[in-house]
Amino acid sequence: MTTVFDASSACTDIAARPAREVLKQRGQHEVFCGLTSIMWLHRKMQDAFFLIVGSRTCAHLMQSAAGVMIFAEPRFATAIIDERDLAGMADMNDELDKVVTRLLARRPEIRLLVLVGSCPSEVIKLDLPRAASRLNGEHSPACRVMAYSGSGIETTFTQGEDNFLAALVPDMPAESADAPASLVVVGALGDVVEDQMMRVFDGLGIGPVRFLPSRSSTTLPAVGPSTRFILAQPWVGACAQALERRGAKRISAPFPLGEEGSTAWYRAIADSFGVPEAKFDAITAPGRERARRAVARYRPVLEGKSVFLFPDSQLEPSLARFLSREMDTSIVEVGTPYLNRDVVGPELALLPETVRVSEGQDVERQIDRVHTDNPDLIICGMGLGNPFEAEGRSTKWSIEFVFTPLQGYEQAGDLAELIARPLMRRALLKVGS
Amino acid sequence: MELTVWTYEGPPHVGAIRVANSMRDIHFVLHAPQGDTYADLLFTMIERNKKRPPVTYTTFQARDLSGDTAEIFKTAARDAVARFKPQALLVGASCTAELIQDDPGGLAKTLGLNVPVVPLEMPSYQKKENWGAAETFYRLVRAFAGGAGKPETAPEQASCNILGPTSLGFRNRDDIVEVVRLVESLGIRINTVAPLGASPADLARIPEAHFNIVLYPEIADTTARWLKRQFGQEMVTTVPIGVGATRDFVTDVARVAGVAVPSELFETGAERLSWYSASIDSNYLTGKRVFVFGDATHAIAAARIASEELGFKVCGLGTYSREFARDVREAAAKYGVEPLISDNHLDVEDAIIAAQPELVLGTQMERHAAKRLRLPCAVISSPVHVQDFPARYSPQMGFEGANVIFDSWVHPLMMGLEEHLLQMFRGDFEFHDEAGSSHLSHGGPAAAHQPGTESEQSVAAEAPAPEAATANTAANDDRPAWTSDAERELRKIPFFVRGKARRNTESYAAENGLNPITIETLYDAKAHFGR
Ligand code: SF4
Ligand code: SF4
């Protein structure tokens, strides 16, 4: 196990700041793989079907992480590779074709079939992009077929969405060079959040505004040199690069979590579109005020508390920034599976220098640090939560930050409540560990 | 290549983790990518364990594949032994690591660790979770008990091992308490219980007992057979689920142990199932059609209880445990039903629809299917979810287990009956027509009265999305139409036979070319089918 203090990682856009040390340890990672993104992607894009080409482990992961089996046939499934495929007794591409044909016959409403690569499919070098283009020839235009990797050897949790979106970019229609400026918001958001954002954009006179992923595979936003885009989730860095390759211009900002984050995010967009300051204030003032009020209710619970964040979704720097600046908590450590400085630089710039930032994971040593630091609240994955609770510590499952609509003014209070709840609960209980 | 949505069993290494997590002083180093660490939450979330399972995942990445993965494994194994100081180390590979062929067993040997290492071969592309658990248990027992010769067993008191209870097993936590109590009441000493709660040292003592009780053949059969060959230990394979099976179990154990059954054992009054079942209010249970699906052990036991102890009619019986398909086939023959051996939950759902049961006894998967079909359901088998680890003591085995089973199977039916009373009185002014009923229906009355569907009860609140509806609507094609008079008449029939009345009438109408269905048709069909 190696420890590296990476001092070369000053946030690129704030050159004046002294370099922030980033703790990097290599040991056991305790995180989901990219397949898990399918949990929300298949709900977001309602005409898409995600077919994992993998093993029984992949299928079991999806089932265990989903925690929901109320759908007899959800819009995802696993084509499980078996020994016949591996022994070459069956041609894997033929087998895949058969599975796909049967699937599409059963689900004729599907417009986009997404082949999702896994560790096994990658280790045996099954070329899914190639299979996708072959199948696409067969099934489009009724159903398009594409591929991306969600494997655990390549991706962590939310990076699965990044790969999916990046793979969609080549299929986005071209916007003509002389089109008026348009905005694409990148990263899956709750429908309710999108609708709220649209009202703000309308008020600011910004448009057309489109979202990626779109709610349907047939309504992908157009992209071209007059497109500007902003990330709504920190994990879509590869997609951002793909959009830039198609000429779109990135708007850089903190993420829209909390009042401050949302305002900074809207402001970056407004500035880019030349919205006058007075108009910006007029449109955002009511939301800002509501967000501040909602958040204030929970500040007494979190104020002065120390928080330790385990790596999970890459939202951790943004959450830490919100907690530190709007809730007056002290952040002990903010872990992230992957630190994309291009993307989270603005967030890190807002964090106090005393905050320990760690990238990657050696979960055992990270747990040791929890024991040393003794934080008031631990934000961590589901595998770790109960063992910490059993030690008398308060925890918040990080996965909820990905599944719950938390962005924007109207959700700022929900975000605060979600984080404060474990502490409020512990205060209520007269029994327990 | 097989298309799978939900699975009854995980991969074999999850079975191995279950065994490791059952035991004390064992650590498992699993060569696997990071995503495979999801398995931890099965234990910390579903079983609410207070500790993480004793597993280190090597979490190698793509960039390691060029040649460093073996080194990563060695580092992880060395660190795990230093940190956790186990009495024994299990090493193995998950599906991905199996493909890169690093040979964890061989690598561990080169490390000169100061603990015994038990290597596992888990053919991930061929086998499944229960096989993995059985194999791991077998390898461990062989490793620690294998060296022993046939030891002198304590002659003065009969003694046994109880083999099979495992972490994440359906109600294993409480079953073991019940069975230990039962066996000890016969004056038999329990030598070891394994894997649950055992250490490697305990496994080494297994040969000291006179005989073995195989509580869950899915996990312990391989091991018990080997112990029989190796040490001549008899096996008791009767699984004490249900009153009859518990009596058989006691008889078998006493016979193998050479002890007498204390006469008061069967008359302590602790067992209430038989009396409750005989009491007049249970009359309505007679001939209830019940569909049974689960692992082989629980499915076979449930069918026997349903048929012999509750007076139900078994209308379907099946299992996902292919290894024990033969036993389930035999049982199915006894009840005159076609055995269903399948690990495809959609096939099981189709079989449930075809069997027209009034109660479903199954796994969490069937519980969801039953909810969609609006059928009462009780869970009898793994795969488990968090509600299968209730706070209260609730074994399935032994006499107390039979009591628990009576309650948990009859309760959903009784809720249904209450519903019926509510429906009967809904003409009364206290119950305006749209008053939803309390059971199975938190969704409000909105969808309650769509003619042509079975939705007399409102739509289950847990299934709001479009996918959930397909199961029901699919069956609605080519149905004859109902006149509104006939439809109204049908509503007067108690709901728990209404579905059957509807189906019978429709098939009668179809056979006789009658369309639409009138009140006349309804009663002709009733006369024809005799119910
Ligand atoms: S929906 Fe039910 S069975 Fe499925 S995961 Fe949730 S609790 Fe478990
Ligand atoms: S880590 Fe790899 S093998 Fe494991 S579930 Fe994810 S994609 Fe499948």
Side-chain angles (χ1 to χ4, degrees), chain A residues 67-70, chain B residues 364 367-368 385-387 462:
Chain A
V68 206
M69 296 181 286
I70 53 178
Chain B
Q364 287 292 341
R367 190 174 70 79
H368 286 291
H385 212 278
V386 65
Q387 61 268 59
E462 278 191 58

Side-chain angles (χ1 to χ4, degrees), chain A residues 61-109:
Chain A
L61 156 90
M62 290 300 286
Q63 162 163 345
S64 310
V68 206
M69 296 181 286
I70 53 178
F71 307 131
E73 296 187 74
R75 268 177 288 99
F76 63 81
T78 308
I80 296 185
I81 298 168
D82 60 33
E83 39 161 12
R84 290 180 60 253
D85 303 315
L86 292 176
M89 278 146 67
D91 181 275
M92 234 177 287
N93 281 299
D94 292 350
E95 288 289 303
L96 184 59
D97 290 5
K98 271 189 244 164
V99 166
V100 166
T101 306
R102 241 188 304 137
L103 177 69
L104 292 180
R106 199 180 167 101
R107 305 294 296 270
E109 76 283 8

Side-chain angles (χ1 to χ4, degrees), chain A residues 1 26 28-31 55 57 60 63 70-72 78 80 85 95 119 153 155-156 368 382 386, chain B residues 1-2 4-7 34 37-38 40 44-45 52 57 59 62 64 79 83 95-96 125 345 372 462:
Chain A
M1 315 272 134
R26 176 73 171 89
Q28 178 182 317
H29 291 190
E30 181 91 15
V31 284
S55 64
T57 315
H60 198 234
Q63 162 163 345
I70 53 178
F71 307 131
T78 308
I80 296 185
D85 303 315
E95 288 289 303
C119 305
I153 53 176
T155 61
T156 301
D368 289 346
M382 293 197 284
N386 271 341
Chain B
M1 215 175 261
E2 197 201 334
T4 307
V5 182
W6 308 121
T7 66
Q34 58 187 6
T37 59
Y38 78 87
D40 282 1
T44 63
M45 295 285 292
R52 294 159 64 214
Y57 306 82
T59 62
D64 306 318
D79 287 358
R83 177 176 285 267
C95 53
T96 307
Y125 298 90
H345 69 105
R372 284 189 291 272
E462 278 191 58

Side-chain angles (χ1 to χ4, degrees), chain A residues 228-264:
Chain A
R228 299 167 197 182
F229 70 93
I230 188 158
L231 308 188
Q233 302 283 13
W235 53 78
V236 289
C239 176
Q241 287 175 357
L243 287 168
E244 280 168 342
R245 281 196 293 276
R246 291 202 52 185
K249 309 271 177 318
R250 183 194 308 211
I251 302 171
S252 207
F255 288 87
L257 291 176
E259 186 274 324
E260 184 188 33
S262 302
T263 302

